[in-house]
Structure formats: C-alpha cells, structure tokens
Amino acid sequence: MNEPRKASEVKMNFGATMKAVFWSFFGVRKRKDYEHDAANLNPIHVIIGALIGVAIFIGILMFVVRLAVAK
C-alpha cells in the first residue's frame, strides 16, 4: 500500500524550483536537468519564483543606477 515514489513522480520543493528559475534567468541549463525540471516543477512555485527573481533583478538594477547617477 505504501509504495515508495519514483524520483520522477515527486514534485520538487520550492528551493529546487528557485534554483531552476535562477539558472533559467541565465539561459544555462543542461538538457537532462531541463527535462527533469519540466516533469517535476510545480507551476505555482515557478510563477512565484519568477516574480521573486524579477523583483530582485529590478532592485539590483535600480541600486546600480542610483550608484551611477550619484557620482
């Protein structure tokens, strides 16, 4: 009754999803890892992770611009 799940059946946790989103911002991902992510990522986690990533990216850009303009 209580059978162990295969690795492909287990949904990834939020930390693993954030790692996948981080690498996707750079566009660097091995095909094997991409296929594993595509099969196991939770779409809600991907959307939340992407929004967090975009907010951090915009925050860093604003910080750099303020440093450049201040000088």
Side-chain angles (χ1 to χ4, degrees):
M1 295 264 173
N2 200 4
E3 298 176 21
R5 292 195 231 175
K6 295 178 184 176
S8 62
E9 295 175 357
V10 177
K11 292 290 182 183
M12 296 173 68
N13 64 15
F14 189 69
T17 301
M18 285 301 295
K19 180 181 172 186
V21 170
F22 172 76
W23 283 113
S24 69
F25 268 91
F26 290 108
V28 179
R29 199 76 173 145
K30 293 180 183 175
R31 183 172 194 86
K32 179 183 77 169
D33 293 336
Y34 168 76
E35 290 171 356
H36 179 264
D37 290 346
N40 296 314
L41 288 176
N42 182 340
I44 301 298
H45 287 173
V46 172
I47 292 169
I48 293 169
L51 292 174
I52 291 170
V54 167
I56 291 170
F57 181 70
I58 290 172
I60 290 171
L61 285 178
M62 289 176 57
F63 177 74
V64 169
V65 168
R66 288 184 186 212
L67 283 177
V69 172
K71 291 185 178 183

